[in-house]
Structure formats: structure tokens, C-alpha cells
Amino acid sequence: MASDSHKRGKEFEGKQVKKNRIICGLDVGTTKICMMIAQVLPDGSLELVSTGYADSAGLKKGVIVDLDQAAASIRKAADEAEQKSNLSIDWVTVGAAGSHFQSFNSHGAITIEGNHQEVTAEHMTQVINAAKSVAIPPDREIIHILPQEFFLDEHGDIQNPVGLYGSRLDVNIHVVTCQSALNQNLINAVNRAQMRVKRVILQQLASAEAVLTKDERELGTALVDIGGGTTDIAIFMKNAVHFTKVLPVGGAHFTRDLAIGLQTPMEEAERIKKETGTVLTERVQDDELVEVPGIGTRASRSISRTLVCGILRDRAAEMLELVRDHLRKALGSDPLIAGMVLTGGGSMLDGLMELTEETMGMPVRQGLPIGVKGLNDELSHPVYATAIGLTLLGASKAGNRKKSVGKTGNSPWIFTRILQWAGNVGHE
Ligand SMILES: Nc1ncnc2c1ncn2[C@@H]1O[C@H](COP(=O)(O)OP(=O)(O)OP(=O)(O)O)[C@@H](O)[C@H]1O
Ligand SMILES: [Mg+2]
């Protein structure tokens, strides 16, 4: 694989590569591919340079199922972003989803030699290594190690123990794993689109970076990114990630339910969902009708909007109950003080915010991406949360810790300091 990366390096020689201070986030979604190019300004903030967008092809439920199609749609989005900026992009930070991602919490402890010794960065690495030394099946790999909380001589709530004195260091971590082959397929698709992968990041962690406030991460929030093919959950508490889950259901399932229930083509079902769809029955008058084109040569029909609403509401209720069950299992009796934040294109469905609030029994808001200068109204939209978050994380020091060329490397991304999740990520 080393020679492969060397060969790739040569392939890139002809390109005008702008590595310095240019950051690129690539959201390989089930519905769309979005590439964001940003530059790091002298004050450390990020400014948008250009964007590229393409309809997704070759992906199902967040996973690559056709390499050539996926690579072509990635290249299309990249071409647009590169042409608009007159830049040629080499390294990208890529978002990944799919229900092959799994996670667990783990605990590790080490003794600091001597009586009340100073904790060093080396001790931090040792204790994290102790926590992550859990048997992982051979076909899986660790993609993220996210420290939650350190304890020094049983005193917790420590985010960065370096420099403190103590004799026993404990840590709780959240570990995200994925199926190696499926992760490799994503990297290969990006490589085939003539770019290299700096880092693969679980999509909801990127979306959270773009939409959550510091207070929400501290007090306790569930970020739910409803995409086209997956619904991605991340629970934040005390500035740390406590739970992540990818559910294989998204906006495309709502569209499919409508297409089947109304006997109409998928693209018409998608249009009807966006234009007249709602999950709140009280927003529909009894006599409201929707013009529904037939499949093939069949004639259009006028169908009660109440039926459209009922189909969407049933799917929404099922999806929200699934989310609620996972949250209950993950949280036990711990409350989410700051409630829930919904983002992703699926969160745009009319009435979903209200229905979620009712189902979850907690405050819910829509998450619009922020944190990058130059975002206009069109881009400060839930569908761009992941791409913008990837750009933010790509610019952070944490995002630069490891680069994956061709095959994924062995060392996963360790957030050495939980504070990197606490709002302003330390941009390079
Ligand atoms: N106004 C709207 N009303 C209802 N649904 C919408 C609206 N706008 C977008 N969507 C839905 O959002 C989904 C796409 O969202 P998004 O772009 O976040 O997905 P993705 O990132 O490509 O997919 P994934 O994250 O699952 O890989 C589609 O199913 C689309 O129908
Ligand atoms: Mg997405």
C-alpha cells in the first residue's frame, strides 16, 4: 500500500496543490455530495472560498455500493468547487456514515509512578491506550477515540490532566469503530476522484461541530442529523461525546413511503413531500387536495392532503420512536438539559420539529451550520451542516493528527483534549 500512496503522490504532482491554509471538507452523503473549500485567516477563523455540489450516485444508506458512480459524483462536486476557486484540491476531510459504524464507552486506569507525580502527555496517551485495549473483531477498526473525562486519584470532571499531580489516572472514553472494508471503499472512491483522504470523520460529529453551541455540549444535547439514507445521533454531555449511533433510515424512506402509498414516481413523491408534505394533521384542512401524477402513462389524480400527511406522520413517528429508544438506553435516568438539535435535510420536513418535541418530551431546535465566514442564507442550511463541520474539523489541530493515504492507517483519531469539542476548535 505504501507504493500505492507513492504512485498516487506522483499522480498529483501535475496539479497546482495549495495545501497551506486551504481546508477542504467533503460530505459524501446518500443524497448529495458537497465539497467546501475554506481558507484559514490570520486570526485563525475560517472563511468560505467555494463550494461544489452534485447529486449522489453509487451510495445506499451511507455506504458505497458502486465505486465508479460514487467517484464520478465526488469528482463532479470537486470540479465545481475547484473551478469556482481556481484551486486544485489534494487532501480532503471526509464524512462517513452507514450502520456499520458502532460505538462503545470504555474505561482505563494507570498508576503514575512515585508519590504524587506530575501527569504528562505521555501518561495521557498511556491511560487512553489502556482504555481502548478492548478486543475489536478483525474486520473492524477504530475510527475515533473521544476522551470524556479524566479522574486523578478519583477526583473527576478533569478535561486535561497534564501538569496536575496525582498517583492514579483514570479516563472514560467513547470509541467509534467501523467495518474496515466499507471505510476503505469510501477512501478508494475519493482516491479515484483524484483526491487524498486526510481524515474520515463520523458525519454526526462533523454536523455537531457546525451546529451545536458550547452550552449545549456542556449541559447535554442530542444532535440528530436526518439525512437521505441515514439518521445519525450523537449525545454530548460535559463537553464530551457519550453516545453515537447511525440508524439506516432517512428522508429517502419518507419519499419511498409516499411513492408507494400514492402510486406516484419517486421524483414526484420527493416534490410532493417538500412542497405540500407535513407531519402535523392540524395543519391540513379536510378538503385540501394534492395533484398526484400517476406512474408511467397513468393519469394524475387528486388525492386528499390528509392522506399525504398521514403517510409522512406514520414514518416520522416510527423513526422518532427508534431515536427515542436509543436515547433512553444510552442515557438511563440522565436528563438532556439542552434538549435535542435536529439538522440534515430530513429535518426540513414541515412539522417535524414540533412532532419531535412532543415525542421526546424535551425542547427541540433546528441546527443551522455556523462558524465559517462567508456563509450566505443558502449555505447556512441543515443539508450543509456536515460539510461545514468537516471543514471546521479539518482546520483544527485535531483534524491534522493523522493522514490516510490509500489504505487506512492503524492509529485512529484521538482527541487528546476534550476541550477541542468545547466550541472554538483551535484552528491551525
Ligand atoms: N424541505 C424539505 N422537506 C422535507 N424533506 C427535505 C426537504 N429538503 C430536503 N429534504 C430531504 O432531506 C434529505 C437529504 O438530506 P441531506 O442532504 O442532509 O442527506 P445526505 O447528507 O445526502 O444523506 P446521508 O446523511 O443520509 O448520507 C432528502 O431525503 C430530502 O428529501
Ligand atoms: Mg448527511
Side-chain angles (χ1 to χ4, degrees), residues 29-32 203 227-230 251-252 270 273-274 344-346 348-349 383:
T30 311
T31 311
K32 51 92 189 33
Q203 281 182 11
T230 63
E270 176 75 7
K273 176 179 84 170
K274 290 180 179 168
M348 296 294 293
L349 184 59
V383 295

Side-chain angles (χ1 to χ4, degrees), residues 218-249:
E218 169 64 35
L219 293 171
T221 288
L223 181 281
V224 180
D225 181 334
I226 308 170
T230 63
T231 292
D232 312 328
I233 310 171
I235 297 179
F236 285 77
M237 287 173 118
K238 289 197 210 164
N239 283 328
V241 180
H242 278 259
F243 173 79
T244 49
K245 183 82 190 167
V246 178
L247 303 175
V249 53

Side-chain angles (χ1 to χ4, degrees), residues 222 233 235 323-331 336 340 360:
I233 310 171
I235 297 179
V323 172
R324 190 183 58 193
D325 290 349
H326 281 288
L327 293 191
R328 279 188 181 156
K329 262 188 239 156
L331 287 164
L336 282 177
M340 182 175 282
M360 304 292 166

